[in-house]
Amino acid sequence: MNENRPIEITEEMRQAMDSARRQGLQTDLRTLAARIRADAEGRYGSEPPGWQAGVEWTLLYIENLASGLTKGRS
């Protein structure tokens, strides 16, 4: 490769990079949700009312956000 010529980044390469970034974010969000779920298990009985609903809402929100990162994309 000649160092004097810049590398051309094609639209296909840009799309592949964007897809990889989205998939990485999706994995990170799902890992976060799994960690929250694992930490919350067994605590519901000892926490104030509404805490479980808040955790469940947060997990649903994270999963929807993760799913939306790749929805309608190939």
Side-chain angles (χ1 to χ4, degrees):
M1 178 176 3
N2 186 343
E3 292 184 29
N4 295 329
R5 290 190 310 198
I7 297 172
E8 181 182 340
I9 298 176
T10 65
E11 184 59 31
E12 184 177 81
M13 293 169 79
R14 288 181 203 280
Q15 289 176 359
M17 288 185 290
D18 183 57
S19 177
R21 183 180 54 85
R22 288 176 181 277
Q23 288 174 353
L25 288 171
Q26 189 177 53
T27 299
D28 290 347
L29 285 168
R30 289 192 169 134
T31 299
L32 174 64
R35 288 180 180 173
I36 291 170
R37 185 176 291 111
D39 192 47
E41 285 180 1
R43 291 187 173 192
Y44 293 141
S46 64
E47 296 298 329
W51 189 82
Q52 181 178 0
V55 169
E56 295 299 328
W57 182 90
T58 300
L59 294 174
L60 182 61
Y61 180 83
I62 291 171
E63 181 55 39
N64 286 338
L65 187 60
S67 294
L69 287 169
T70 56
K71 190 178 290 184
R73 301 182 197 294
S74 44

